[in-house]
Amino acid sequence: MTLTLHRTVAEFRRAAEAVRSTGKRLGLVPTMGALHAGHLSLVAEARSRAAEVALTIFVNPTQFGPNEDFARYPRTLERDLELCREAGVAHVFAPEAREMYPEGERTRVHVDGLTAALCGPHRPNHFDGVTTIVSKLFAVSGECVAVFGRKDYQQLKVIERMTRDLLLPIEIVGLPTLRDADGLALSSRNAYLSAEERERALSIPRALSAAVSAFAAGERRIARLKQAALGELGAGGLRLDYATLADPDELLPLPEGGSGGERLLFAVAGFVGKTRLIDNVVLGEDPAPIASQKKLEQGSLP
Ligand code: AMP
């Protein structure tokens, strides 16, 4: 399948309509580019659910804070197009900012409640930027199946709720986090990490894995689950924004003194040097990011 690059809203809208006009389903994969295998897993899923896949590349200014990495965020369009060609993407929509935010625009989309905890307080206006751009992308794509990663768990929940609340004709699909062999979640921001920082970043999948092990061993006390993880995070010397156990649907943090149920979100955000990384597992649902050392040792016994 040949790939078409669309630079304007009008072009991409026409292309999406053309797909539907022949009775075919459109798959949509919104990204900020600097594509990696995690993005490509979303493309593969979209291809399995739709006849033609469109991937969008837009580094959305309104979801970055004033002291965040908007200016230095990796922009690798030529390579991204090549990866999209190889992955069987039919359409790439890579607009300029003025296409998505026309002169004089005054509108933001806000989802209440789900944006209050976790990344919300640490990145004021971030989710309004996300929901605004994603609703614009949906407005241009029209009816489709849109695929997102659970790596950005809170973002996925916020987008699901926005889509439902605004009655948008979009099916939302969430996919598991793709990780490197050592357990680190793939992220475009990993490109910022020095070798030493990348090593320290591994404390995140280690911490999540420690929580998964404790949970699997029957631990349900919030303080204990957190304790299991904080030891690992401390060892990595991360500057933590948060390490929070929360209800996996409403994203309400659970009190330290209490206990959790059979599904629990454990989400972590922190800085390794200047790079902010996020990761999460749903305890009771997701596998450990790193297979436990004990298991490996046992497995290697004669
Ligand atoms: P981004 O380009 O970082 O905005 O991400 C675009 C989409 O890819 C979002 O739906 C992310 O959740 C998803 N994504 C990013 N990293 C991963 C990963 N390691 N595994 C699966 N999906 C991912």
Side-chain angles (χ1 to χ4, degrees), residues 29-42 56 58 63 73 147-153 155-156 159 173 175-180 184-190:
V29 179
T31 81
M32 298 205 297
L35 300 182
H36 52 66
H39 297 116
L40 299 178
S41 74
L42 309 187
T56 70
F58 184 63
Q63 71 189 68
Y73 197 85
V147 186
F148 294 86
R150 294 218 298 263
K151 155 85 166 37
D152 302 273
Y153 189 93
Q155 169 176 285
L156 171 64
I159 289 169
V173 174
L175 288 196
T177 303
L178 210 73
R179 299 176 179 282
D180 262 335
L184 188 68
L186 296 183
S187 163
S188 305
R189 289 190 166 98
N190 292 353

Side-chain angles (χ1 to χ4, degrees), residues 189-203:
R189 289 190 166 98
N190 292 353
Y192 299 147
L193 300 173
S194 68
E196 180 263 340
E197 286 173 336
R198 199 182 178 295
E199 186 52 43
R200 291 200 286 126
L202 289 178
S203 62

Side-chain angles (χ1 to χ4, degrees), residues 1-5 35 40 43 47 53 55 57 77-92:
M1 181 171 295
T2 55
L3 181 146
T4 312
L5 174 62
L35 300 182
L40 299 178
V43 169
R47 285 195 71 188
V53 170
L55 181 137
I57 299 176
L77 184 62
E78 283 312 313
R79 184 171 175 278
D80 290 350
L81 291 175
E82 205 42 58
L83 289 170
C84 283
R85 254 181 225 112
E86 286 166 16
V89 170
H91 306 275
V92 168

Side-chain angles (χ1 to χ4, degrees), residues 225-236:
L225 288 166
K226 206 168 155 175
Q227 206 175 29
L230 285 180
E232 296 288 352
L233 291 169

